[in-house]
Amino acid sequence: MPAPAIARDVFRSLRNELGDEDSGLTFENGPGPLDRIDVMVYQAKEPSGVTVFATIGMSVESMPLRDGQGAGGRAELRLYRRGLVGVQEQGLIATRLANLAGYPWAVGRSLGWGEMVSFPDDVPTFPGCRRAFTAGPWVQGQLGSVETSVENVRILNVIPITESERARALTLRPETFFSDLLDARDVFTPPANNSPV
């Protein structure tokens, strides 16, 4: 069965933005109403660079609204990890993102910028981070959405955070929390062993 037009458009956009992927993992039959999620891996070119993980397939379905009425837009996920990421760790991160892609349907509401999601264990390669903050673009030139032939697809950047960071986020506006977080540490690196860039 051919890929839906929206998935092809997202794939083309990724190619235009990041070039050819270094590898990718495919998850069939779920989660939620999603038949297939691909997680593309763009490996860092050097140890101090950033490896990018990007989903394709979450946007095939419109997310549910919080009140269950109508559609809640479309989105795809990205996660950035500083440094080279080994094959086993790539698989763990890709699995976490594929499962997170089904989150809106599991909880019955859309997922947008400035929200937090909890996990039963640490985000792979981010020890001490059982939470994630979903951010929009934060540097000039970073995409916030992808234009497709169906509708715009929002890019949700998945930022692993600690419990203390989550507690702080609950006291601030999302924009203020994320700005403070960017000033405090390198969000591409586990918090336990990093400092601001």
Side-chain angles (χ1 to χ4, degrees):
M1 176 179 215
I6 195 167
R8 290 193 308 268
D9 292 345
V10 169
F11 177 74
R12 279 191 214 97
S13 176
L14 277 169
R15 281 270 170 100
N16 290 338
E17 181 188 359
L18 301 173
D20 290 339
E21 68 278 4
D22 294 293
S23 63
L25 293 98
T26 299
F27 300 87
E28 303 275 359
N29 302 317
L34 308 173
D35 289 332
R36 174 179 169 157
I37 296 290
D38 291 293
V39 180
M40 312 311 283
V41 182
Y42 301 86
Q43 186 72 271
K45 303 303 179 212
E46 57 189 46
S48 63
V50 176
T51 297
V52 181
F53 295 81
T55 63
I56 300 174
M58 180 180 176
S59 60
V60 169
E61 298 286 336
S62 291
M63 294 182 287
L65 287 177
R66 293 177 189 274
D67 62 5
Q69 303 293 318
R74 297 173 192 260
E76 293 288 356
L77 305 172
R78 294 207 185 161
L79 185 143
Y80 298 82
R81 176 64 163 85
R82 185 158 313 280
L84 304 172
V85 179
V87 173
Q88 181 176 356
E89 289 77 18
Q90 288 178 24
L92 294 172
I93 292 171
T95 300
R96 181 60 51 95
L97 285 181
N99 286 329
L100 183 55
Y103 176 85
W105 295 274
V107 299
R109 65 177 180 84
S110 61
L111 187 60
W113 294 335
E115 297 190 48
M116 288 180 285
V117 178
S118 297
F119 303 109
D121 55 1
D122 292 347
V123 174
T125 78
F126 286 87
C129 295
R130 289 186 175 205
R131 315 278 191 241
F133 180 83
T134 55
W138 66 89
V139 295
Q140 188 172 4
Q142 187 178 18
L143 291 181
S145 65
V146 173
E147 283 189 41
T148 74
S149 58
V150 177
E151 70 180 87
N152 278 1
V153 173
R154 182 177 281 191
I155 297 171
L156 303 176
N157 296 295
V158 178
I159 311 296
I161 60 173
T162 65
E163 183 57 37
S164 63
E165 289 168 340
R166 176 185 175 272
R168 179 160 171 70
L170 292 172
T171 69
L172 300 170
R173 293 177 47 85
E175 300 84 5
T176 303
F177 164 72
F178 193 55
S179 177
D180 290 353
L181 185 66
L182 290 172
D183 289 342
R185 70 172 176 92
D186 176 8
V187 296
F188 305 148
T189 306
N193 60 352
N194 80 53
S195 58
V197 176

